[in-house]
C-alpha cells in the first residue's frame, strides 16, 4: 500500500491556507500546533505502514482532527490548546490500539470488569464539572471515564458473543440464562450505573451496538422484538424518570415552543445551518456566540454556518470513508472474534456520529455527546484515536503478532 | 459474516443518506433567516442602512442613531407605509424595504418617483376617508403619490401595533394595489372609446334617454332613474347616462370585453409592488350582462392602480405606460441602476383617445364631474358610483390635468363615499389643483 503523499500534502496545504485565513482574527503564535498535528499523523502513518497495517484511515482522521482544531482555535485559542494536548495522548492511544492486539486478546472479562470499575469509580470519586459528575481526577489530570468504558464494553461484548456463539445459538423458547446471563448481567449493571449518572447517550450507543452484534451472531425475530420492546421500555422509563430527558424530547419534537429554554440550543443550531446555506459565511464570520456549548455539542452547527453545505457534506463524507475503511478492516481480519470487535468499534463510532449530527439536524433527539475527532474534549479524542488504532491493527493481523 | 457485515454496511449507508437529506434541507430549503428567535435576523437592525428619497431628493426614510447607540428607522411621512413598508425588529420587513433589502444593507440609496409635496397634499385632502388615491405622471408612468387609507405609521409600530391589528378597516391592506372594487361609471371612457373605434356609435350621434332602458327582460336605469332627454354620445359620457352606455355595451358584446382586456383589466400590472389583477369575466350570457359590464357593474372588479394607469393612458393619447415607483438605485458596490419609462402598448388609437378626452373635459365643464373644476385649467375627468352590496356605494373619480399636455393623472376611490361627483370629485379636483401648483413651482 502506498503512503498517499498527495493526500497528505493536500491536507497540509489546506491547513496552512486555513491558518493564514485565521490570521485576520487571532495571532498565529500557535502556528506550530497544526504543523505538529499534521506531522504527527504522518509519522503514525509511516509507522503503521512499516508494520504492515492499514494506514489510510489516518488521512481521514487527520483531516477531521485538523478541522476540529481549526474551529476550536477560531472559537477560542485556549480550547485548541487543550485539544492539542489531548491529541498528544491520542497519538499514544492510537499506538496502544495498534499494538495491543485487542481483536485477539483473551481478557474479555477483564475489559468488562474494567468498564464497570471505571464507571463505579466515577460514581464514587467523580468530580462535578459543568453540571455532570462525569470526571475522574488523578492529580491535575482529569478525564471522562465513560469515553473509555464504552470502548472496553464493546470489546467485551464482541469477544463474549464471538467466543460463545455456538452456545448462544442453542435453540430454545427463551434465551438460556446460563449462556446469556453474564452478558445481560454486566450490561444491565453498566446501564444502571450510567443511568444513575444521567448519562443516557452512551447507554443508547452500547445498547444499539450490543443489539446489532448479538443479532449478527444469532438472529431470531423473537430476539429482535425483545430488543425493540426493551428500547421502547427504556425510552418510556427514561421519559418518566428523568426530567432532563423529557425536556430533550420536547426540544426535539417542538423546539419553537421552548424557544427560550429547552429548544434554544436546537433552534440556534438550525439557524446556524440555515445561515450557512451552500458555501457558508466563511471561516470566522459566523455567530457561534449565540449557541450554548458550541465547542462540545454544537461544533458541527458552526462548521455548517461558516463552511456551508459543502463543508458539512465534506465532513459527512469523511466519516463515511472512515466507516467504510473500518468495515473493510474488520472484514479482512482473519478470525471471527476480531471481525466482531472491528464491527463493534465501527458501529460505536458511526452511531455516535449519527446521534450527534442527527441530533443537530433534528432527525433524532439531541443526546449531548461529542462529535468524534472534532468536538472539544480530550477524553473523547483519545478514546476515538484508540478505536482507530484498534481498527488499523485488525487488517492482516494474526495471532502470532507481537503481544499476542 | 461478510454478508452480514454487508447488510450492516447498507444500514449505515442508509443512515448517512438520511443525514445528507437533513443537511440539504436545513442548509438550503428551511427558510429560517427571519425566524423571530434567530439572532441573525436582528443583526440588520443595528447596522447602517440606505435611505429612501423622493424624486427631488427629500428623505422619505432613513436610519437614525438613537441616544443609546441603537439604530431606528425614521419615516418622514406615514402615509407612504404601503409603499416603503416598514423595517422593524419585531414586526419584520415589508414593502420596498423588503424588495430592496440587500441593496439597502449594502449602502444603496433608493430614489423613488414619489413627490413628497404631492404625497403630503394627498394625505391632507384624503384625511378622514377610507379608500385609495394614486397620482401618476402620464407621459412616463412615474407614480407621484400613492395613498391607501387608513395607513400605518412606521414610526409608531411599538405603540400602536394592537390598534392596527384590531382596526376593522385593515390598515395593513394596500388598497391601491390589492383593493378590488367595481369601477362603476368610471369605466365608461373605455366603452365610449371602443364604441367609436368599432363604429357602433359616433360622438355627435343623438340618443333619447328616458331614464330607464329595457334589455332582454330586465331594466337598466340612470342614477336615480333621472331622464336625461335628448343628448349626443359625448354628452351621454359627460352626464354618465346608464341608458346610453347599456345600449352601447350590449351592441359591442364580446368586443367590449376584449377592449377591457387590452386596457389591462383582469390582469396584474408589472409594478414594484405586488398587485392583484381584479376580475374580468370571459363572457356575459346576455345583452343585459354586457350592459352591466358596460356601466362597470356585474362581475367586473378593478384595483385603483389599474384605473390610475388606464386614465394615464387616455391622458397619454392612448399609450399605456408601465407604472413604476423606483427611479434610481445609487451607491454601494453595485452599478447605478436607472429605471427607464416603458410602454405597455397603445390601448386606444390616438384619435380616439383625444375624443375620449374631449368627452371627459365636457364632464367637468358641464357634467357629473363639475365639482372637480379648477379655474384657469382645463380638467378631463369621469366620476363613478359603484354599487356596493355590503353598504353605501363606493365613489370613484378618475381624471387628468391639464387636458392638453397632461402633467398629472389621478384615480380616487372613496369606500362607501356615496356619489362619485359629490365625494370623490372634489377630492380629486383639490389634489389636481394643488399638485399642479407644486409642479409649476418646481419648474420655476
Amino acid at each position: 500500500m502506498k503512503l498517499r503523499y498527495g493526500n497528505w500534502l493536500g491536507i497540509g496545504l489546506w491547513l496552512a491556507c486555513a491558518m493564514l485565513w485565521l490570521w485576520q482574527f487571532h495571532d498565529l503564535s500557535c502556528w506550530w500546533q497544526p504543523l505538529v498535528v499534521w506531522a504527527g499523523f504522518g509519522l503514525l502513518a509511516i509507522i503503521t505502514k512499516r508494520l504492515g497495517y492499514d494506514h489510510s484511515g489516518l488521512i481521514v482522521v487527520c483531516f477531521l482532527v485538523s478541522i476540529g482544531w481549526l474551529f476550536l482555535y477560531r472559537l477560542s485559542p485556549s480550547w485548541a490548546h487543550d485539544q492539542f494536548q489531548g491529541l498528544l495522548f491520542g497519538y499514544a492511544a492510537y499506538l496502544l490500539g495498534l499494538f495491543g492486539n485487542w481483536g485477539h486478546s483473551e481478557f474479555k472479562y477483564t475489559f468488562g470488569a474494567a468498564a464497570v470499575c471505571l464507571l463505579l469509580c466515577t460514581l464514587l470519586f467523580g468530580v462535578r464539572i459543568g453540571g455532570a459528575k462525569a470526571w475522574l481526577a488523578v492529580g491535575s489530570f482529569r478525564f471522562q471515564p465513560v469515553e473509555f468504558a464504552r470502548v472496553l464494553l464493546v470489546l467485551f461484548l464482541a469477544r463474549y458473543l464471538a467466543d460463545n456463539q455456538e452456545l448462544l445459538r442453542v435453540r430454545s423458547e427463551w434465551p438460556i440464562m446460563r449462556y446469556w446471563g453474564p452478558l445481560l448481567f454486566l450490561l444491565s449493571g453498566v446501564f444502571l450505573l450510567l443511568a444513575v449518572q444521567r448519562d443516557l447517550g452512551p447507554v443508547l450507543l452500547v445498547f444499539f451496538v450490543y443489539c446489532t452484534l448479538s443479532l449478527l451472531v444469532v438472529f431470531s425475530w423473537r430476539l429482535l422484538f425483545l430488543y425493540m420492546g426493551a428500547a421502547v421500555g427504556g425510552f418510556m422509563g427514561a421519559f418518566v424518570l428523568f426530567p432532563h430527558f423529557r425536556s430533550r424530547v420536547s426540544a426535539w419534537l417542538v423546539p419553537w415552543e421552548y424557544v427560550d429554554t429547552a429548544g434554544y440550543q436546537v433552534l440556534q443550531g438550525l439557524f446556524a445551518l440555515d445561515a450557512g446555506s451552500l458555501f457558508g459565511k466563511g471561516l470566522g464570520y459566523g455567530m457561534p456566540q449565540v449557541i450554548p456549548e458550541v465547542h462540545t455539542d454544537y461544533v458541527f452547527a458552526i462548521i455548517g454556518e461558516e463552511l456551508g453545505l459543502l463543508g458539512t457534506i465534506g465532513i459527512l463524507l469523511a466519516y463515511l470513508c472512515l466507516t467504510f475503511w473500518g468495515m473493510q478492516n474488520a472484514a479482512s481480519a482473519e478470525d471471527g472474534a476480531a471481525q466482531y470487535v472491528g464491527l463493534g468499534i465501527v458501529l460505536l463510532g458511526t452511531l455516535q456520529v449519527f446521534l450527534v449530527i442527527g441530533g443537530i439536524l433534528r432527525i433524532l433527539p439531541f443526546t449531548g455527546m461529542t462529535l468524534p475527532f472534532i468536538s472539544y474534549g480530550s477524553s473523547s479524542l483519545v478514546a476515538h484515536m484508540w478505536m482507530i488504532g484498534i481498527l488499523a491493527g485488525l487488517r492482516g493481523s494474526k495471532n502470532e503478532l507481537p503481544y499476542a | 459474516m461478510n454478508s452480514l457485515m454487508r447488510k450492516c454496511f447498507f444500514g449505515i449507508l442508509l443512515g448517512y443518506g438520511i443525514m445528507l437529506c437533513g443537511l440539504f434541507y436545513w442548509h438550503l430549503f428551511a427558510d429560517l433567516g427571519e425566524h423571530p428567535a434567530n439572532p441573525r435576523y436582528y443583526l440588520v437592525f443595528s447596522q447602517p442602512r440606505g435611505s429612501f428619497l423622493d424624486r427631488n431628493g427629500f428623505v422619505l426614510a432613513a436610519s437614525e442613531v438613537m441616544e443609546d447607540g441603537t439604530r431606528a428607522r425614521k419615516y418622514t411621512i406615514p402615509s407612504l407605509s404601503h409603499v416603503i413598508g416598514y423595517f422593524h425588529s419585531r414586526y419584520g420587513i415589508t414593502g420596498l424595504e423588503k424588495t430592496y433589502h440587500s441593496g439597502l444593507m449594502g449602502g444603496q440609496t433608493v430614489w423613488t418617483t414619489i413627490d413628497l409635496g404631492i404625497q403630503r397634499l394627498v394625505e391632507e385632502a384624503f384625511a378622514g376617508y377610507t379608500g385609495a388615491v394614486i397620482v401618476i405622471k402620464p407621459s412616463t408612468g412615474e407614480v407621484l403619490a400613492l395613498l391607501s387609507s387608513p395607513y400605518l405609521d412606521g414610526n409608531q409600530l411599538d405603540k400602536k401595533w394592537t390598534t392596527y391589528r384590531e382596526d376593522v378597516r385593515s390598515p395593513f391592506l394596500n388598497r391601491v394595489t390589492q383593493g378590488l372594487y367595481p369601477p362603476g361609471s368610471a369605466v365608461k371612457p373605455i366603452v365610449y372609446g371602443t364604441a367609436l373605434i368599432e363604429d357602433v356609435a359616433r360622438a355627435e350621434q343623438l340618443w333619447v334617454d328616458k331614464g330607464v332602458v329595457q334589455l332582454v327582460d330586465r331594466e337598466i336605469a340612470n342614477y336615480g332613474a333621472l331622464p336625461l332627454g335628448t343628448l349626443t354620445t359625448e354628452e351621454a359620457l359627460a352626464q354618465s347616462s346608464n341608458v346610453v352606455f347599456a345600449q352601447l355595451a350590449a351592441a359591442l358584446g364580446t368586443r367590449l370585453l376584449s377592449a377591457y382586456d387590452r386596457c389591462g383589466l383582469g390582469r396584474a400590472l408589472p409594478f414594484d409592488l405586488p398587485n392583484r389583477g381584479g376580475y374580468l369575466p370571459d363572457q356575459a350570457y346576455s345583452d343585459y350582462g354586457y350592459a352591466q359590464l358596460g356601466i362597470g357593474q356585474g362581475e367586473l372588479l378593478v384595483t385603483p392602480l389599474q384605473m390610475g394607469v388606464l386614465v394615464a393612458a387616455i391622458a397619454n393619447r392612448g399609450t399605456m405606460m408601465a407604472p413604476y415607483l423606483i427611479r434610481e438605485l445609487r451607491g454601494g458596490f453595485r452599478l447605478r441602476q436607472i429605471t427607464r419609462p416603458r410602454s405597455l402598448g397603445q390601448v386606444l388609437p390616438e384619435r380616439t383617445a383625444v375624443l375620449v378626452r374631449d368627452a371627459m373635459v365636457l364632464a367637468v365643464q358641464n357634467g357629473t364631474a363639475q365639482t372637480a373644476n379648477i379655474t384657469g385649467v382645463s380638467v378631463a375627468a369621469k366620476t363613478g358610483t359603484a354599487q356596493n352590496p355590503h353598504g353605501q356605494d363606493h365613489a370613484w373619480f378618475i381624471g387628468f390635468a391639464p387636458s392638453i399636455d397632461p402633467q398629472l393623472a389621478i384615480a380616487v376611490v372613496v369606500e362607501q363615499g356615496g356619489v362619485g361627483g359629490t365625494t370623490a370629485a372634489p377630492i380629486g379636483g383639490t389634489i389636481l389643483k394643488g399638485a399642479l401648483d407644486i409642479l409649476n413651482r418646481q419648474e420655476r
Side-chain angles (χ1 to χ4, degrees):
Chain A
M1 211 173 290
K2 286 179 212 148
L3 246 181
R4 299 172 189 266
Y5 295 106
N7 291 6
W8 285 102
L9 212 63
I11 292 185
L13 267 176
W14 168 82
L15 204 52
C17 291
M19 280 305 284
L20 282 176
W21 176 268
L22 277 180
W23 203 359
Q24 44 183 325
F25 308 107
H26 301 289
D27 70 290
L28 285 190
S29 56
C30 297
W31 63 272
W32 52 275
Q33 285 190 5
L35 191 68
V36 172
V37 170
W38 180 76
F41 273 105
L43 196 65
L44 286 187
I46 292 171
I47 294 172
T48 314
K49 183 184 175 274
R50 280 287 166 87
L51 290 169
Y53 295 113
D54 183 4
H55 68 275
S56 47
L58 280 175
I59 298 175
V60 183
V61 177
C62 178
F63 168 72
L64 290 171
V65 170
S66 312
I67 280 235
W69 186 90
L70 274 176
F71 270 87
L72 290 177
Y73 189 69
R74 171 250 175 283
L75 290 170
S76 154
S78 71
W79 284 336
H81 195 72
D82 293 352
Q83 190 79 346
F84 176 74
Q85 283 180 341
L87 184 64
L88 297 182
F89 287 97
Y91 290 146
Y94 172 82
L95 292 174
L96 188 73
L98 194 63
F99 295 128
N101 202 15
W102 303 86
H104 303 92
S105 151
E106 291 301 320
F107 309 118
K108 54 175 177 282
Y109 287 109
T110 319
F111 296 155
V116 173
C117 261
L118 275 173
L119 293 176
L120 256 180
C121 286
T122 321
L123 194 62
L124 295 176
F125 314 114
V127 182
R128 192 176 293 275
I129 298 173
K133 198 174 164 185
W135 270 264
L136 265 188
V138 183
S140 64
F141 183 77
R142 282 198 305 257
F143 70 105
Q144 264 185 307
V146 65
E147 301 282 348
F148 304 97
R150 58 190 196 200
V151 182
L152 287 169
L153 263 178
V154 168
L155 289 175
F156 161 74
L157 281 176
R159 285 303 299 197
Y160 188 93
L161 288 168
D163 292 350
N164 299 311
Q165 46 183 306
E166 299 306 326
L167 294 174
L168 296 173
R169 279 187 193 136
V170 172
R171 291 204 170 273
S172 71
E173 198 157 328
W174 292 101
I176 300 166
M177 269 306 135
R178 235 179 90 201
Y179 309 141
W180 288 90
L183 193 63
L184 297 179
F185 176 73
L186 197 92
L187 270 185
S188 45
V190 166
F191 289 169
L192 203 68
L193 278 174
L194 285 170
V196 169
Q197 292 170 43
R198 298 188 171 187
D199 204 355
L200 295 178
V203 174
L204 194 61
L205 274 183
V206 174
F207 177 72
F208 197 89
V209 173
Y210 161 72
C211 293
T212 316
L213 286 183
S214 68
L215 285 172
L216 284 180
V217 169
V218 43
F219 184 84
S220 77
W221 287 103
R222 192 190 292 272
L223 208 56
L224 182 63
F225 286 123
L226 207 66
Y227 291 155
M228 279 160 72
V232 172
F235 185 88
M236 297 296 211
F239 197 85
V240 174
L241 283 174
F242 302 117
H244 80 285
F245 183 79
R246 275 201 292 277
S247 74
R248 280 261 162 96
V249 170
S250 46
W252 170 48
L253 294 173
V254 278
W256 43 84
E257 288 192 8
Y258 305 92
V259 168
D260 297 320
T261 52
Y264 183 78
Q265 194 185 27
V266 176
L267 275 180
Q268 294 305 327
L270 296 179
F271 294 152
L273 291 178
D274 174 65
S277 197
L278 183 58
F279 296 107
K281 287 180 172 173
L283 185 57
Y285 288 96
M287 268 182 92
Q289 65 273 20
V290 298
I291 310 178
E293 306 302 326
V294 64
H295 59 305
T296 54
D297 293 355
Y298 261 71
V299 75
F300 187 75
I302 195 68
I303 294 176
E305 179 173 13
E306 301 195 339
L307 300 186
L309 179 64
L310 296 181
T312 47
I313 285 184
I315 285 173
L316 206 64
L317 284 181
Y319 281 120
L320 179 64
C321 289
L322 213 54
T323 305
F324 189 64
W325 171 82
M327 292 204 100
Q328 266 189 329
N329 275 10
S332 71
E334 282 179 9
D335 75 84
Q339 291 187 340
Y340 280 115
V341 168
L343 190 60
I345 299 282
V346 168
L347 282 175
L348 187 67
T350 309
L351 280 175
Q352 182 161 349
V353 171
F354 284 172
L355 280 176
V356 175
I357 296 185
I360 289 172
L361 296 177
R362 221 160 72 75
I363 295 168
L364 302 164
F366 190 69
T367 42
M369 286 189 291
T370 54
L371 191 60
F373 305 112
I374 294 185
S375 284
Y376 176 80
S378 301
S379 306
S380 158
L381 183 60
V382 171
H384 281 99
M385 287 295 286
W386 179 30
M387 284 158 65
I388 290 295
I390 294 174
L391 284 174
L394 288 177
R395 173 168 281 193
S397 66
K398 292 185 187 73
N399 281 334
E400 65 266 23
L401 273 170
Y403 312 108
Chain B
M1 178 67 190
N2 280 348
S3 76
L4 288 173
M5 219 181 261
R6 201 166 300 133
K7 270 182 205 161
C8 237
F9 184 68
F10 282 123
I12 288 176
L13 217 53
L14 183 72
Y16 276 106
I18 294 170
M19 298 296 142
L20 197 66
C21 294
L23 282 180
F24 266 92
Y25 177 73
W26 291 113
H27 271 297
L28 301 181
F29 301 109
D31 202 11
L32 298 174
E34 287 173 19
H35 192 284
N38 190 345
R40 285 160 198 80
Y41 173 61
Y42 300 96
L43 273 185
V44 297
F45 297 101
S46 58
Q47 284 167 356
R49 184 178 174 88
S51 305
F52 280 95
L53 303 181
D54 92 330
R55 61 189 295 113
N56 303 311
F58 292 114
V59 175
L60 298 178
S63 283
E64 276 179 19
V65 181
M66 310 300 285
E67 284 165 13
D68 57 353
T70 59
R71 280 171 197 276
R73 198 71 165 160
K74 287 286 165 208
Y75 297 96
T76 313
I77 180 165
S79 65
L80 277 175
S81 67
H82 286 113
V83 178
I84 297 178
Y86 49 83
F87 176 78
H88 193 281
S89 57
R90 188 174 314 154
Y91 306 117
I93 313 176
T94 60
L96 295 178
E97 291 269 30
K98 189 169 185 177
T99 317
Y100 295 98
H101 178 64
S102 59
L104 288 163
M105 290 317 294
Q108 276 192 331
T109 305
V110 180
W111 285 63
T112 65
T113 58
I114 297 287
D115 188 309
L116 185 59
I118 298 180
Q119 180 74 26
R120 273 218 176 92
L121 176 79
V122 171
E123 191 185 306
E124 277 162 30
F126 207 73
Y129 294 105
T130 302
V133 181
I134 180 166
V135 182
I136 296 178
K137 189 171 177 184
S139 55
T140 58
E142 288 165 284
V143 176
L144 300 177
L146 191 155
L147 177 93
S148 168
S149 176
Y151 44 81
L152 314 166
D153 187 344
N155 301 323
Q156 301 196 30
L157 291 181
D158 279 323
K159 256 183 264 169
K160 294 194 175 168
W161 186 260
T162 6
T163 325
Y164 292 146
R165 295 250 42 129
E166 287 164 4
D167 194 336
V168 287
R169 299 178 305 161
S170 53
F172 291 94
L173 175 71
N174 184 348
R175 288 171 161 78
V176 177
T177 55
Q178 307 285 331
L180 295 183
Y181 306 90
S185 304
V187 84
K188 280 177 185 163
I190 309 179
V191 186
Y192 179 65
T194 315
L196 296 184
I197 299 165
E198 300 290 343
D199 218 14
V200 170
R202 280 169 290 108
E204 63 279 12
Q205 183 177 340
L206 287 176
W207 302 77
V208 179
D209 181 340
K210 292 174 181 167
V212 177
V213 67
Q214 186 86 19
L215 278 158
V216 197
D217 53 346
R218 299 174 70 173
E219 282 182 345
I220 282 186
N222 285 343
Y223 187 78
L226 272 177
L228 296 169
T230 308
L231 73 183
T232 63
T233 322
E234 191 180 32
E235 285 166 342
L237 181 77
Q239 300 294 339
S240 201
S241 160
N242 283 353
V243 169
V244 173
F245 276 84
Q247 292 175 59
L248 287 176
L252 283 166
T254 51
R255 288 175 289 180
L256 179 68
L257 296 187
S258 47
Y260 281 170
D261 180 59
R262 210 166 41 245
C263 292
L265 304 191
R267 271 179 288 136
L269 284 157
F271 193 44
D272 299 297
L273 298 174
N275 65 99
R276 293 171 73 173
Y279 184 72
L280 176 66
D282 294 332
Q283 61 178 102
Y285 292 99
S286 65
D287 281 357
Y288 175 77
Y290 284 113
Q292 280 278 310
L293 294 174
I295 59 170
Q297 296 295 155
E299 293 173 277
L300 191 62
L301 289 174
V302 299
T303 63
L305 175 69
Q306 284 174 324
M307 293 309 281
V309 171
L310 183 61
V311 72
I314 297 171
N316 197 31
R317 300 194 167 223
T319 304
M320 186 178 274
M321 301 303 289
Y324 65 98
L325 269 166
I326 305 301
R327 231 167 119 93
E328 205 174 314
L329 298 174
R330 239 188 235 182
F333 293 110
R334 296 183 195 187
L335 290 174
R336 196 160 136 182
Q337 225 174 301
I338 302 171
T339 316
R340 306 257 173 237
R342 183 163 66 93
S343 163
L344 294 176
Q346 187 90 24
V347 297
L348 283 175
E350 203 171 321
R351 284 176 57 191
T352 317
V354 169
L355 290 173
V356 174
R357 178 198 71 194
D358 291 345
M360 287 168 74
V361 171
L362 196 63
V364 177
Q365 285 172 353
N366 191 21
T368 53
Q370 286 177 39
T371 41
N373 193 27
I374 309 171
T375 39
V377 182
S378 159
V379 179
K382 181 75 194 81
T383 57
T385 309
Q387 285 168 23
N388 173 16
H390 307 294
Q392 239 194 314
D393 296 347
H394 298 316
W396 273 99
F397 173 83
I398 60 170
F400 54 89
S403 61
I404 312 288
D405 189 19
Q407 297 297 308
L408 297 162
I410 184 172
V412 179
V413 60
V414 183
E415 272 183 28
Q416 309 203 353
V419 183
T422 356
T423 325
I427 300 173
T430 315
I431 295 172
L432 282 177
K433 180 174 185 300
L436 282 176
D437 285 348
I438 290 172
L439 289 183
N440 289 337
R441 236 179 291 138
Q442 281 169 4
E443 265 172 39
R444 244 182 282 136

